[in-house]
Amino acid sequence: MRNNPRIGIIGGGIGGLTAAIALLRRGYDVSVYEQAAVLQEVGAGLQLSPNGVRVLCSLGLEEALLGIGFEPEGKEIRLWNTGDTWKLFDLGVVSRERYGFPYLTVHRNDLHQLLIKAVERLSLDAIHLDHRFVEVERNDAGGVTIGFDGKPSASFDVVIGADGVHSKTRELTFGSGPAKFTGIVAWRGVIPMELLPPELVKPVGVNWIGPGGHVIHYPIRRGELMNFTSVIERQDWTIESWSSPGTNQEYHDDYPGWNREVHAYIEAIPQPFKWALISRPPMAEWVRGRIALLGDACHPMLPFLAQGAVMALEDACILGRAFEEFETIDEALAHYQAMRIPRTTKVVQGAYANTERFHNPTLADPAGAQAYVDAQWAPEQVIARYEWLFRYDATSVPLTTDAAVVASQA
């Protein structure tokens, strides 16, 4: 880029911090504004598929990432009531062989702290805490001024809104947009491994599928913890917050008839949390003037492809490359938007499609379930659903605004 623009990033989560690293490594002047007084992510697990791991490795974070993560030996599909098990091929050593990078599971806070340290190594004063973003204004010079509650405003050549699913940047720039309760409630908990009996300490990712709900668990933090997440179809809880506590008994009650192993995990969770899953249609526009969105601010998705955080990592990578490869801010943002909307829209739609696949009524009958799983999780079906995701290389895919080329890359 001809000039060295000043870049303001709203939001100090995984997407905002990764964007900061991608831009700081290229020598840009970056400031990150976070409303929290202390940078601390919600305690839950994340799956990082090879396409996301590739991005983090390209930013020089491979050694640190492997030090905080866990590499599952494989993946299993299990039937909700009988516990019947089908082994898949897409994790473990197969991931490295097939895609060049491992499939990792991490504690969200561990990844968050890793990214904070990486930003601070590049610029010690880039992160500004306790700054609640409240207003944005385009100034006469073509830049953007952002205002904060009780803090001085700041002006930049470009502003990136990476402020999550409840994005204030999106609201002020594009409007709130439609949101609809899916009729699905999610639960989560993190279990210290020492609280589990040996038969439940499994070094694999497991997806229990059943009529009206599913359960996922996998080790995180080098295998010291078990992340346990599940969803169930129910209509009586519509609060979209990851920090609403529930009780173990309520959790049990949501899964009547499910396998005893599922209930053993639920019983071992020190404190379960629940939240409503809200569906939002993909946005057709992420950039307006010198303001652009990134991550959940522009493509929130249901957690049924394990790609929410990974898409934010890809966004950050493409954004950094666009600023390096094009001469003006407007060109960079145009290419960023053109490259990312088709791919993330496809992911949003794919995650939604998995709702029916994981919760199909056919799974209520063990005989029907066998045929259903054999069909839906046959190797060729798994390849069709995931190959286009995992092989995508945000670090080298050609940046273009040609719609046909972009569609083929997505």
Side-chain angles (χ1 to χ4, degrees):
M1 194 164 285
R2 285 190 301 244
N3 300 314
N4 187 5
R6 296 187 66 241
I7 303 169
I9 297 176
I10 301 168
I14 289 171
L17 293 173
T18 305
I21 296 166
L23 293 162
L24 285 166
R25 283 170 59 91
R26 291 172 166 86
Y28 295 111
D29 182 352
V30 179
S31 295
V32 179
Y33 294 92
E34 167 58 42
Q35 67 178 353
V38 178
L39 271 177
Q40 183 173 332
E41 279 277 354
V42 173
L46 284 177
Q47 299 182 57
L48 296 178
S49 53
N51 48 312
V53 173
R54 178 185 286 109
V55 169
L56 293 170
C57 291
S58 76
L59 298 177
L61 302 175
E62 180 174 7
E63 182 177 354
L65 181 62
L66 293 175
I68 65 166
F70 183 85
E71 188 171 356
E73 294 178 5
K75 186 175 182 180
E76 298 176 355
I77 299 295
R78 302 196 66 184
L79 191 59
W80 68 288
N81 52 358
T82 66
D84 289 348
T85 303
W86 296 264
K87 294 186 181 297
L88 299 186
F89 71 92
D90 62 340
L91 300 185
V93 66
V94 174
S95 177
R96 289 179 180 266
E97 292 175 351
R98 194 175 188 94
Y99 309 113
F101 291 87
Y103 194 117
L104 300 177
T105 54
V106 301
H107 193 293
R108 180 182 288 268
N109 191 57
D110 293 344
L111 177 60
H112 196 231
Q113 295 301 316
L114 182 158
L115 296 172
I116 293 168
K117 292 175 183 176
V119 171
E120 291 176 341
R121 284 195 297 270
L122 293 164
S123 176
L124 193 58
D125 59 353
I127 299 174
H128 304 268
L129 302 178
D130 196 23
H131 278 68
R132 188 169 71 87
F133 167 65
V134 293
E135 60 183 357
V136 61
E137 181 180 351
R138 299 172 184 82
N139 58 46
D140 294 337
V144 182
T145 298
I146 51 179
F148 306 95
D149 183 16
K151 304 284 186 179
S153 60
S155 294
F156 296 93
D157 297 299
V158 60
V159 167
I160 308 299
D163 44 348
V165 66
H166 299 294
S167 172
K168 188 70 173 179
T169 316
R170 180 185 66 230
E171 176 188 335
L172 294 176
T173 309
F174 300 93
S176 298
K180 179 183 178 182
F181 175 49
T182 61
I184 298 174
V185 173
W187 285 90
R188 67 171 178 84
V190 175
I191 310 167
M193 286 296 190
E194 61 267 22
L195 297 183
L196 293 172
E199 64 270 19
L200 298 187
V201 180
K202 300 180 178 181
V204 296
V206 180
N207 184 358
W208 297 77
I209 55 175
H214 73 276
V215 171
I216 292 175
H217 55 81
Y218 48 81
I220 55 175
R221 190 173 285 169
R222 301 170 295 276
E224 299 165 17
L225 302 170
M226 182 69 78
N227 187 72
F228 191 87
T229 306
S230 66
V231 302
I232 199 74
E233 295 176 8
R234 54 182 275 194
Q235 300 292 330
D236 61 338
W237 186 263
T238 58
I239 299 174
E240 191 184 22
S241 170
W242 276 37
S243 56
S244 297
T247 68
N248 296 76
Q249 187 56 56
E250 183 187 4
Y251 203 161
H252 283 302
D253 292 344
D254 266 355
Y255 291 85
W258 283 63
N259 190 273
R260 61 178 181 80
E261 288 192 20
V262 171
H263 287 282
Y265 284 115
I266 292 173
E267 188 61 29
I269 297 172
Q271 173 59 69
F273 296 88
K274 61 181 178 178
W275 73 101
L277 296 184
I278 307 298
S279 174
R280 294 171 173 82
M283 297 179 66
E285 181 186 16
W286 295 2
V287 174
R288 189 159 292 175
R290 298 289 180 84
I291 303 170
L293 302 179
L294 181 149
D296 282 348
C298 48
H299 51 70
M301 60 189 66
L302 299 179
F304 300 158
L305 266 181
Q307 289 292 305
V310 172
M311 287 300 104
L313 297 178
E314 287 187 2
D315 289 348
C317 180
I318 295 293
L319 183 71
R321 289 183 54 206
F323 269 80
E324 182 177 48
E325 294 184 26
F326 299 100
E327 291 191 354
T328 69
I329 293 172
D330 295 336
E331 285 180 290
L333 294 181
H335 282 79
Y336 162 70
Q337 175 177 260
M339 289 294 298
R340 295 306 297 159
I341 285 182
R343 178 162 169 83
T344 56
T345 297
K346 189 175 179 181
V347 175
V348 169
Q349 294 167 344
Y352 189 82
N354 268 348
T355 307
E356 182 177 353
R357 182 172 293 112
F358 292 169
H359 300 183
N360 197 287
T362 305
L363 297 166
D365 173 44
Q370 175 72 53
Y372 181 78
V373 172
D374 287 345
Q376 292 294 321
W377 278 273
E380 60 272 18
Q381 293 293 334
V382 174
I383 288 172
R385 287 200 293 271
Y386 294 101
E387 194 85 350
W388 64 276
L389 275 171
F390 297 170
R391 287 201 181 279
Y392 185 86
D393 185 355
T395 70
S396 66
V397 62
L399 305 187
T400 178
T401 55
D402 183 279
V405 174
V406 171
S408 69
Q409 295 169 345

